[in-house]
Amino acid sequence: MNKRCVLWLVGLLTVSIARAQQLPTDGPLTLRPLLQKLGERLLKGKTGSIVAINPANGEILCLATNTPQGADVRQAIGKPQAPGSTFKTAQALTLLSEGIINTETAVECHEGITDGNIRVGCHKHRSPLKLVDALAQSCNTWFLMTFASMINDDFMYETRDEAINTWRSYMQSMGLGGPMHIDIEGEQGGLLAGADYLNRRYREGWDGKTIWWAGMGQGDVTCTPLQLCNLAVTIANRGWYYVPHIHKETKNQRYLTRRQTKVAPEAYGPVIEGMHKAVEHGTAYAIKTTYPICGKTGTVENPGRDHSAFIGFAPMAEPKIAVSVYVEHGGFGADLAAPMAALIIEQYLKGELSKKSEAAAIRLSSLKL
């Protein structure tokens, strides 16, 4: 079969996939059919989404979704939800950039923290932890305490309004909190608490502890899976991204203009080290492989069973793919979202799944939630 026929068949398959996922079909798309098919297969019997982006150019490689009613692209781009611990990466970048913490900042944690009648649990790990290990072990206490210390810092910021708005501006620069204006209809933004919002919600006053849940990606913060994947892109690229898009060879400058985050360049190294250590020795150890993956798990508190989330990219030094997986009621991020992301990464980097990975794909695909 000649190259022209192969391209025609790939194009035909891509259009078929796009229609099934309720995606645009006008012109050639950036989706990779084998990757898309694997994503759809892994989501069978579940409600959630898998998004993969090429960090080098913002092209969407996979946009697989599933709901009880079938595929629905809004699950990935139009349904903001709490990001859980995946958000700790953005927190660390902001806190480092503002000088609130450094790589040596250590916090004690003994399976959680208690403040008055509020108890926030954390899984068992050694204590105290510094930044890299706090990311690798996903320590809730570390991120609650350091986020609250930024908001309550009356030396660096004149008011708490200034502190929270500064925090919000960093997050917005990473593509969070509002629509990025991708080339698919139905995109929604999400929530990043700013001073106006908080002053309306907490009329009797608020401080860092009032909103400290945002430090661990809960409470007054929501994101879409697309935004979480783009967050992984900004980290993979050490501070820049292109607006994600699905139309190949676009001429629209919106999708061809490199965007820079506000994050200090030197902040990326420790965060990437923490994400790498999460896979090598931490919460995502189950997906450790021969090529270096950087990732962050998320277990999102929710009425009923928790949501399972993961963001990551690979390889570590020369990233070729960034991924986010978000499965509603999927439980621990390490148990479902992370292994699914690892299979997407392997399929893209290797071109096929190993026998061991294929067995894992069969197992994960058979799960019904």
Side-chain angles (χ1 to χ4, degrees):
M1 187 180 295
N2 62 39
K3 184 177 179 181
R4 193 177 214 174
C5 288
V6 170
L7 291 174
W8 180 80
L9 285 173
V10 169
L12 194 64
L13 180 57
T14 304
V15 169
S16 176
I17 289 170
R19 284 175 177 161
Q21 288 288 326
Q22 301 178 3
L23 295 170
T25 57
D26 51 326
L29 302 181
T30 60
L31 296 177
R32 299 300 176 91
L34 292 179
L35 213 59
Q36 186 73 16
K37 283 293 187 183
L38 176 59
E40 293 172 5
R41 178 181 164 201
L42 293 172
L43 288 171
K44 188 176 179 181
K46 308 167 189 67
T47 297
S49 63
I50 299 175
V51 183
I53 296 173
N54 182 345
N57 54 23
E59 290 186 352
I60 298 173
L61 306 171
C62 175
L63 190 56
T65 63
N66 197 43
T67 73
Q69 291 74 43
D72 188 341
V73 69
R74 290 173 297 182
Q75 191 72 29
I77 71 170
K79 189 178 181 181
Q81 300 189 76
S85 293
T86 61
F87 193 69
K88 291 172 181 173
T89 56
Q91 287 284 50
L93 291 168
T94 299
L95 295 167
L96 281 167
S97 298
E98 281 294 283
I100 304 298
I101 55 105
N102 58 46
T103 56
E104 296 301 304
T105 300
V107 175
E108 293 275 352
C109 175
H110 302 287
E111 298 185 50
I113 183 172
T114 301
D115 183 70
N117 61 352
I118 300 175
R119 171 72 180 173
V120 182
C122 191
H123 57 276
K124 193 172 184 178
H125 55 70
R126 63 182 176 82
S127 179
L129 294 180
K130 296 178 182 179
L131 169 63
V132 169
D133 286 318
L135 279 167
Q137 299 300 326
S138 199
C139 177
N140 289 336
T141 303
W142 198 97
F143 284 92
L144 292 178
M145 294 295 290
T146 54
F147 174 58
S149 71
M150 176 181 177
I151 304 307
N152 290 338
D153 190 331
D154 56 9
F155 176 78
M156 179 168 282
Y157 310 105
E158 291 188 6
T159 64
R160 288 173 185 148
D161 283 14
E162 181 187 350
I164 194 66
N165 284 342
T166 299
W167 171 86
R168 187 171 185 261
S169 69
Y170 276 96
M171 299 299 170
Q172 289 175 319
S173 79
M174 291 181 251
L176 304 171
M180 290 183 286
H181 304 291
I182 63 172
D183 55 350
I184 307 173
E185 292 183 3
E187 184 190 10
Q188 296 293 320
L191 171 65
L192 283 175
D196 290 345
Y197 168 87
L198 293 172
N199 290 332
R200 289 195 306 271
R201 180 171 183 187
Y202 303 105
R203 295 187 180 278
E204 295 182 3
W206 56 275
D207 61 14
K209 286 189 177 179
T210 310
I211 59 170
W212 68 351
W213 303 99
M216 52 184 270
Q218 301 275 170
D220 298 305
V221 55
T222 61
C223 309
T224 64
L226 174 78
Q227 290 172 339
L228 290 179
C229 190
N230 190 68
L231 171 61
V233 167
T234 69
I235 301 171
N237 287 336
R238 283 68 170 170
W240 57 269
Y241 69 98
Y242 290 102
V243 173
H245 52 280
I246 202 169
H247 287 94
K248 199 168 185 61
E249 299 173 358
T250 179
K251 299 296 188 292
N252 190 327
Q253 286 302 306
R254 173 181 294 280
Y255 310 113
L256 301 175
T257 303
R258 183 182 289 196
R259 296 161 194 269
Q260 203 75 28
T261 72
K262 280 188 62 175
V263 175
E266 60 271 19
Y268 284 100
V271 170
I272 290 170
E273 184 183 353
M275 294 175 72
H276 184 227
K277 199 167 184 178
V279 176
E280 293 293 305
H281 307 289
T283 58
Y285 178 74
I287 67 169
K288 181 178 178 180
T289 187
T290 55
Y291 45 88
I293 297 175
C294 296
K296 183 70 197 74
T297 56
T299 303
V300 186
E301 295 180 9
N302 176 70
R305 196 178 187 205
D306 293 338
H307 300 329
S308 181
F310 179 86
I311 64 170
F313 61 89
M316 179 179 177
E318 298 179 358
K320 293 179 171 58
I321 183 171
V323 181
S324 75
V325 178
Y326 201 104
V327 181
E328 295 183 15
H329 311 296
F332 292 114
D335 291 344
L336 186 60
M340 291 168 71
L343 293 174
I344 293 292
I345 290 171
E346 180 180 341
Q347 175 70 59
Y348 187 69
L349 295 182
K350 301 292 187 179
E352 61 182 1
L353 298 180
S354 67
K355 289 184 178 180
K356 182 179 178 181
S357 295
E358 177 58 31
I362 292 172
R363 178 181 61 80
L364 292 169
S365 300
S366 68
L367 293 176
K368 304 289 188 278
L369 302 176

